[in-house]
Amino acid sequence: MKYNFDEQVPREGTNSLKYDARLNFFGKEDVLPLWVADMDFKTPDFIINAIKERLNHEILGYTFRPDSYYEAIIHWMKERHGWTVEKEWISFSPGVVAGLTLAIETFSNPGDEVVVQPPVYFPFFDSVKSTGRQLLENPLTLVDGRYTFDLDDLERKITPKTKLLLLCNPQNPGGMVWTKGELTALASLCMKHKILIISDEIHSDLIFEGHKHIPLPTLSDEIAQNCVVCMAPSKTFNVAGLTTSFVIIPNKRHFARYERTLRIPHLHMGNIFGTVALEAAYKHGADWVDQLVVYLEENYRFLETWLKENLPQVVPMKPEATYLAWLDFSALVMADDELNSKLLEAGVGMNRGVQFGTGGAGYMRINLGCTRAMLQQALERMVVLKEEK
């Protein structure tokens, strides 16, 4: 089946965070929303149909996740990523950020240090600080237009209080697909210092041509015993509102500890439709994802070409994955507040780079999970920045 990603689906009036919260977030409603990371594409038919089928039974009482749910995850991991996962490794989370936060609470104590590698997905900072842990920043290094780890900096900063590292794999906002060599070096350093890695791999299905996602536990049995992986179908299939994620923990002792933390506030139950959607997605979604990734990569190429021809002062970092792009506005020599104001005046709403921490100044993150027509409209509005050079 050929899917149509050029169809613009009206989202106003649906309590959409991306659309209906524009006034609160940007101070005005008449902006093209290219910020929060959900896509404007229809949730695929095989997921909607599975939910409709479940609605034919008119009781929505307590349920549990059936074997077929776990089998769908196991099959997807094997087919898409070459990773053999055991059912006994799979736990639940109502969201990847929730899983990260639960893991922080499980595997560290207040006052402990948690490593983050900015610029990075900004909820990482909140998860660390809100749980009473201390941020230990290990900024990424920019080499030939691509971020990489600064392991020398990390080793210098590690103290006896450093207990966890939050890894973004693939990276958000830069879109890096970390290589085997990069991941192995990072994981080896963490094992040397007894630092557990919590790996956010939510964008792992959205990998561009020429790159391959490497789930952290596949590097070695030893590394698998020293990591917790958070994943979900939410970004891949545009079902974030169903708050259904999963956590894969090969280490039996770590798994038991996480499960206890999850169950204390009774967060382990999940919801009926999230379970149904995940199972349908991972059973039937391969073709849809393949077509989606092609469209997203074409959106990036359109963005890159348009900027080069019309606004060369703005330089995109070439993503290797995700539907996000990291735009460098530094050549315009504008303060971040001024840059944001100019874009909002032009009617374009993106995420400010400073949200992503150290190294984010002068950048903006744009969401490419939209129709080509909307992307073109946003870019044409940005021409006003030419006058600021």
Side-chain angles (χ1 to χ4, degrees):
M1 178 178 178
K2 174 67 174 175
Y3 293 96
N4 179 18
F5 297 104
D6 285 315
E7 180 183 0
Q8 183 64 48
V9 182
R11 299 184 63 184
E12 290 87 350
T14 64
N15 298 320
S16 162
L17 179 64
K18 188 175 184 180
Y19 281 78
D20 294 328
R22 283 177 289 183
L23 180 61
N24 290 336
F25 191 82
F26 296 114
K28 57 187 297 186
E29 293 181 329
D30 58 336
V31 296
L32 294 176
L34 300 171
W35 60 303
V36 66
D38 72 3
M39 298 185 289
D40 289 336
F41 312 129
K42 284 183 178 179
T43 298
D45 54 346
F46 44 85
I47 293 177
I48 298 298
N49 291 338
I51 291 174
K52 287 179 178 179
E53 178 63 27
R54 177 60 182 84
L55 281 168
N56 287 331
H57 192 290
E58 298 174 354
I59 296 178
L60 304 177
Y62 290 121
T63 60
F64 58 89
R65 288 176 286 279
D67 286 343
S68 54
Y69 167 93
Y70 296 97
E71 290 164 2
I73 293 173
I74 291 167
H75 174 77
W76 188 262
M77 293 302 126
K78 184 66 175 179
E79 293 299 311
R80 302 297 292 195
H81 304 301
W83 183 16
T84 301
V85 171
E86 303 291 337
K87 178 184 176 183
E88 292 73 22
W89 301 352
I90 304 172
S91 186
F92 178 77
S93 171
V96 161
V97 174
L100 293 168
T101 307
L102 290 167
I104 290 170
E105 291 184 325
T106 301
F107 302 112
S108 66
N109 295 307
D112 284 344
E113 295 171 342
V114 180
V115 179
V116 294
Q117 298 173 304
V120 73
Y121 181 50
F122 46 86
F124 279 21
F125 304 113
D126 293 334
S127 292
V128 174
K129 293 186 289 187
S130 297
T131 54
R133 278 62 173 175
Q134 301 299 312
L135 280 171
L136 180 59
E137 290 199 5
N138 169 226
L140 299 172
T141 300
L142 193 56
V143 179
D144 297 329
R146 182 185 185 275
Y147 287 127
T148 190
F149 301 128
D150 187 342
L151 299 185
D152 291 335
D153 174 75
L154 177 57
E155 189 150 34
R156 283 193 302 268
K157 291 177 175 176
I158 290 171
T159 76
K161 294 174 61 178
T162 311
K163 302 300 181 183
L164 303 175
L165 181 143
L166 302 186
L167 174 66
C168 201
N169 177 35
Q171 207 271 346
N172 171 9
M176 276 66 256
V177 176
W178 303 120
T179 66
K180 183 176 181 179
E182 288 172 321
L183 290 172
T184 300
L186 177 67
S188 298
L189 180 59
C190 287
M191 287 190 296
K192 174 183 174 182
H193 292 279
K194 297 182 171 56
I195 297 170
L196 183 69
I197 300 177
I198 314 300
S199 186
D200 171 2
E201 304 193 9
I202 195 170
H203 290 283
S204 57
D205 297 319
L206 305 176
I207 308 298
F208 292 170
E209 187 177 1
H211 303 279
K212 179 176 173 55
H213 174 70
I214 300 173
L216 192 62
T218 63
L219 294 172
S220 72
D221 291 340
E222 187 179 16
I223 290 172
Q225 294 299 306
N226 192 56
C227 65
V228 171
V229 176
C230 301
M231 305 180 89
S234 52
K235 302 299 184 191
T236 309
F237 295 96
N238 213 26
V239 290
L242 295 179
T243 59
T244 297
S245 303
F246 54 98
V247 180
I248 301 179
I249 311 176
N251 184 306
K252 289 183 180 180
R253 184 170 61 86
H254 291 339
F255 182 92
R257 291 179 64 191
Y258 174 85
E259 277 277 304
R260 182 175 184 276
T261 303
L262 178 69
R263 289 171 181 271
I264 288 172
H266 215 71
L267 294 175
H268 62 287
M269 294 293 290
N271 70 81
I272 294 171
F273 301 113
T275 298
V276 169
L278 181 146
E279 190 171 334
Y282 287 162
K283 282 184 175 179
H284 308 296
D287 287 344
W288 190 87
V289 174
D290 289 344
Q291 293 179 43
L292 169 67
V293 170
V294 169
Y295 190 88
L296 294 174
E297 193 162 7
E298 288 173 349
N299 264 3
Y300 172 74
R301 285 197 292 267
F302 180 86
L303 168 83
E304 182 181 54
T305 300
W306 193 95
L307 289 174
K308 191 175 296 184
E309 294 175 352
N310 299 280
L311 196 57
Q313 306 98 309
V314 180
V315 181
M317 182 175 290
K318 187 173 184 178
E320 300 164 356
T322 82
Y323 52 78
L324 307 165
W326 193 227
L327 305 182
D328 183 359
F329 289 81
S330 59
L332 294 172
V333 196
M334 298 171 64
D336 289 283
D337 287 345
E338 182 185 7
L339 172 61
N340 188 56
S341 294
K342 291 291 183 183
L343 287 168
L344 289 180
E345 286 173 15
V348 181
M350 293 187 277
N351 288 105
R352 300 177 63 175
V354 291
Q355 287 183 274
F356 299 84
T358 302
Y363 286 84
M364 300 287 281
R365 190 190 74 173
I366 186 170
N367 183 341
L368 301 178
C370 61
T371 65
R372 190 88 24 84
M374 177 180 279
L375 176 59
Q376 181 173 355
Q377 186 180 4
L379 291 170
E380 289 172 350
R381 291 184 181 188
M382 286 168 54
V383 171
V384 68
L385 295 176
K386 272 188 175 182
E387 303 167 5
E388 304 301 325
K389 189 174 183 299

